Amino acid sequence: MILFELVPFEFLRVVWWLLIGVMLIAFALTDGFDMGTGMLLPFVARTDLERRVVINTVGPVWEGNQVWFILGGGSIFAAWPPLYAISFSGFYMAMFLILTALILRPVAFKYRSKREGTRWRAMWDRALFIGGFVPALLFGVAVGNVLLGVPFHLTPDLMPVYEGGLFGKLFGLLRPFALLCGLVSLAMAVMLGAGWLVLKTEGVIQDRARAIGRPAALLALAGYLLAGIWLAYGIQGYGFVTEPPHDGPSNPLLHQVTHGGSWLTAYAERPWIAIAPVLGVLGTLMAWRAIGRRGELSPLGWAQLGGFGMIASVGLVMFPFILPSNTHPDSSLSVWDASSSHLTLFVMLVGGAIFLPLIMVYTAWVYRVLWGKVTPDEVENPDTHAY
């Protein structure tokens, strides 16, 4: 018997749903503090030296943090081709803006200190702010739209058709609930950035980061709770009329989907998933408390726990759906009917089992080597090659 046949198709589908979720959460929590630091730059640093200190806290790590974004996107392409095709088509304009903003960031890092002119450096500082603000906002807006459902359908030959039009691919995403999710994402990124700066800086920069981090944590928590109430009473969820076979063919049109009720009925069906929102609320509250109690490592740790809980709660509530359609519910994509083949998922799992641990070990080693405060003396020392 071929080896991959020993691993159930159902198991591989769930494992890749879980692994891609882990990759995207890892990106949100690591590159999230990069984005938050960029957004905080104009507010916590008032001199050029202070701004250089802030920039050099994330300068050595931001590229490694974006690896999770690349891994997640590549894994979606290979494991869930319909999800990749529809989401990148439907969110095309938003993704274009996100990638443009992300491209600004490395250019700003490299060119900011090439000249000493005030206007020159201020221009690149604004680019770093935009490089944090735009992705943080639009990633949250995208999550909100996934919960609301996306206007697409599948033709009988499974060709995806997005119904939003060119401008609808951007402005059609800016629905009130989605904008609320975007604001939660912004506040969470600022909270993470503040936690990072508390850990990596000292003196006035650290004090200013604390002053902004506390209200950001409360704003993230308030927005998350409001979104939960809105989700419970104002937004319809999705469900199967009959549960599809978990090892069946990857054809969403074989199953009938209902659009009604509430997403939050998932907590009654799978009570254990309540741990995610509990962690989201607890972690955010503890981050707010830790920032105020002058802790240095704990604010970032608690902020990441809160962010993990908030993001994980979305995936766990939606499971097994990964991209519902609000115009043609029967075209909605789920874990059970939108994956690649059994063999493809198995080969990917073998590769992931080899390379993911290496990436994690290397990332941990890099953070260990770079552990410690970034100080003005270190930034001004030409031997450190600081930005």
Side-chain angles (χ1 to χ4, degrees):
M1 182 180 291
I2 300 175
L3 181 60
F4 82 89
E5 293 180 347
L6 298 175
V7 184
F9 197 9
E10 173 187 2
F11 173 79
L12 291 172
R13 282 171 160 168
V14 174
V15 164
W16 274 108
W17 170 82
L18 179 63
L19 286 176
I20 291 174
V22 169
M23 292 176 198
L24 295 179
I25 291 175
F27 167 71
L29 299 185
T30 56
D31 209 50
F33 67 67
D34 294 342
M35 297 176 193
T37 299
M39 285 188 281
L40 286 170
L41 179 61
F43 307 102
V44 300
R46 297 177 184 173
T47 67
D48 185 68
L49 181 58
E50 290 176 353
R51 286 189 282 272
R52 290 188 65 202
V53 169
V54 171
I55 290 169
N56 279 277
T57 64
V58 295
V61 298
W62 71 269
E63 289 176 295
N65 293 339
Q66 288 200 151
V67 165
W68 297 109
F69 183 51
I70 298 168
L71 283 174
S75 297
I76 291 173
F77 173 79
W80 312 100
L83 173 62
Y84 184 91
I86 295 170
S87 60
F88 276 71
S89 175
F91 300 155
Y92 176 80
M93 293 300 295
M95 288 300 299
F96 178 82
L97 290 176
I98 288 171
L99 293 175
T100 300
L102 291 177
I103 290 169
L104 283 177
R105 187 165 54 180
V107 178
F109 281 131
K110 300 300 182 183
Y111 282 95
R112 183 189 184 277
S113 294
K114 296 298 184 182
R115 291 171 56 182
E116 296 185 359
T118 302
R119 293 180 61 185
W120 172 266
R121 294 190 174 186
M123 176 182 68
W124 294 117
D125 291 342
R126 287 192 291 270
L128 288 171
F129 176 85
I130 293 170
F133 179 88
V134 172
L137 174 66
L138 292 182
F139 279 132
V141 168
V143 170
N145 276 278
V146 170
L147 285 166
L148 290 167
V150 179
F152 75 92
H153 70 271
L154 300 174
T155 64
D157 58 356
L158 300 183
M159 177 71 69
V161 178
Y162 188 84
E163 302 168 11
L166 180 60
F167 291 102
K169 291 180 179 181
L170 178 60
F171 297 109
L173 302 178
L174 304 180
R175 294 180 277 182
F177 177 77
L179 286 172
L180 173 61
C181 293
L183 292 176
V184 173
S185 177
L186 276 176
M188 184 169 63
V190 172
M191 174 181 67
L192 288 166
W196 177 253
L197 290 176
V198 167
L199 175 65
K200 295 293 290 184
T201 65
E202 55 191 12
V204 294
I205 297 176
Q206 187 187 78
D207 292 339
R208 292 168 190 155
R210 290 183 188 276
I212 298 174
R214 296 198 83 199
L218 292 180
L219 181 60
L221 179 59
Y224 178 70
L225 294 175
L226 178 58
I229 295 171
W230 198 336
L231 203 62
Y233 297 103
I235 295 174
Q236 293 182 330
Y238 293 78
F240 287 109
V241 174
T242 56
E243 185 77 7
H246 298 177
D247 58 353
S250 291
N251 185 347
L253 298 181
L254 296 178
H255 318 298
Q256 188 176 356
V257 175
T258 61
H259 184 198
S262 170
W263 279 120
L264 301 191
T265 57
Y267 290 111
E269 299 167 358
R270 304 185 297 274
W272 62 270
I273 69 174
I275 187 63
V278 169
L279 291 177
V281 173
L282 176 64
T284 306
L285 278 175
M286 292 301 293
W288 170 81
R289 180 174 180 268
I291 293 172
R293 291 175 66 88
R294 316 303 294 179
E296 293 201 342
L297 177 59
S298 56
L300 179 62
W302 285 117
Q304 290 187 319
L305 179 65
F308 171 83
M310 290 181 185
I311 301 169
S313 66
V314 176
L316 290 172
V317 160
M318 289 185 61
F319 184 87
F321 290 95
I322 51 179
L323 189 65
S325 169
N326 59 6
T327 55
H328 297 75
D330 289 346
S331 293
S332 299
L333 307 183
S334 79
V335 171
W336 310 130
D337 54 26
S339 74
S340 292
S341 69
H342 190 174
L343 178 59
T344 299
L345 296 184
F346 177 78
V347 172
M348 288 177 62
L349 185 61
V350 172
I354 296 171
F355 292 106
L356 277 176
L358 292 176
I359 293 170
M360 295 174 69
V361 169
Y362 175 74
T363 301
W365 176 79
V366 168
Y367 276 94
R368 183 177 182 276
V369 170
L370 298 174
W371 191 260
K373 300 284 187 181
V374 178
T375 64
D377 290 341
E378 180 182 354
V379 169
E380 290 186 309
N381 186 345
D383 294 334
T384 61
H385 303 288
Y387 288 111

